């Protein structure tokens, strides 16, 4: 059984990869096998499939590979920032490439931002619920203090930055593990 952890930010300077690293560690400590997928490395072009995702008829290798990655997962955890009151376009693009691969899987959202990324969280709930991910009703909204960032724009210590909410992530990991087949 494997949970896919998706890093939803593709920006050159970001903290999503740092947060996903902590989430990965906590989930593994809670007995969940994980695979981290970085959308920046996945590098999907803007949706370029000629047929609707619901058909499952994919023309491009990048789509077939992405579909296999999601299909092979038993659960999905999305780590997303909030940008301008919403979640990143690259994350929406990655979701839109697929349809049936999301259906029926347990899922969770971990949003982050200065105030926890609640708007991004709420928007993503609508989209992921529509494609059939069975979302954890609580999720986690990480509030990151301004002084948690270094001069280079990344977190000086991701473990410390989210330590106040580490128990929430552990509880989420337990709920995801319990929901997995």
């Amino acid at each position: 059984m494997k949970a896919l952890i998706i890093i939803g930010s593709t920006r050159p300077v970001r903290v999503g990869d740092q947060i996903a690293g902590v989430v990965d560690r906590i989930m593994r400590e809670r007995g969940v096998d994980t695979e981290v997928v970085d959308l920046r490395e996945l590098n999907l072009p803007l949706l370029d499939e000629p047929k609707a995702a619901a058909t499952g008829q994919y023309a491009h290798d990048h789509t077939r590979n992405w579909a296999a990655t999601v299909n092979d997962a038993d659960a999905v955890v999305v780590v997303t920032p909030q940008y301008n009151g919403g979640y990143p376009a690259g994350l929406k693009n990655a979701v839109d490439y697929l349809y049936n691969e999301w259906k029926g899987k347990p899922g969770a959202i971990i949003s982050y931002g200065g105030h926890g990324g609640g708007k991004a969280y709420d928007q993503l709930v609508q989209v992921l619920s529509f494609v059939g991910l069975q979302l954890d009703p609580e999720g986690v909204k990480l509030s990151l203090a301004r002084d948690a960032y270094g001069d280079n724009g990344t977190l000086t210590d991701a473990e410390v930055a989210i330590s106040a909410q580490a128990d929430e992530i552990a509880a989420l990991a337990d709920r995801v593990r319990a929901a997995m087949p």
Side-chain angles (χ1 to χ4, degrees):
M1 294 188 297
K2 176 178 66 178
L4 197 63
I5 300 172
I6 299 173
I7 302 171
S9 173
T10 60
R11 288 175 61 177
V13 177
R14 62 190 176 157
V15 300
D17 54 338
Q18 293 177 281
I19 293 169
V22 175
V23 170
D24 183 41
R25 179 191 58 76
I26 291 171
M27 290 188 76
R28 286 181 180 275
E29 287 174 355
R30 308 303 282 193
V32 180
D33 185 26
T34 60
E35 177 184 353
V36 177
V37 172
D38 187 340
L39 293 183
R40 182 168 73 191
E41 291 175 11
L42 188 63
N43 198 27
L44 291 169
L46 284 176
L47 186 57
D48 63 351
E49 285 294 330
K51 295 188 177 182
T55 68
Q57 297 176 15
Y58 303 127
H60 303 292
D61 284 342
H62 56 259
T63 309
R64 287 189 289 272
N65 293 337
W66 177 227
T69 298
V70 174
N71 198 52
D72 290 347
D74 297 300
V76 177
V77 176
V78 178
V79 177
T80 185
Q82 179 171 297
Y83 295 157
N84 296 325
Y87 63 97
L91 178 54
K92 176 70 163 109
N93 188 53
V95 171
D96 288 348
Y97 259 94
L98 309 176
Y99 186 74
N100 294 312
E101 294 81 1
W102 305 110
K103 283 198 172 302
K105 292 185 189 303
I109 300 168
I110 299 174
S111 63
Y112 60 91
H115 300 333
K119 291 180 186 211
Y121 181 97
D122 292 343
Q123 291 172 11
L124 197 50
V125 164
Q126 291 178 357
V127 171
L128 293 178
S129 295
F130 182 84
V131 296
L133 211 59
Q134 302 300 305
L135 290 172
D136 179 82
E138 295 179 45
V140 176
K141 297 172 188 158
L142 296 171
S143 293
L144 302 175
R146 288 198 186 276
D147 64 0
Y149 292 86
D151 292 338
N152 65 356
T154 63
L155 298 172
T156 56
D157 187 330
E159 295 280 348
V160 170
I162 65 175
S163 62
Q165 293 175 278
D167 288 344
E168 288 180 56
I169 296 170
L172 177 72
D174 290 341
R175 292 189 304 272
V176 168
R177 187 185 70 235
M180 291 170 74

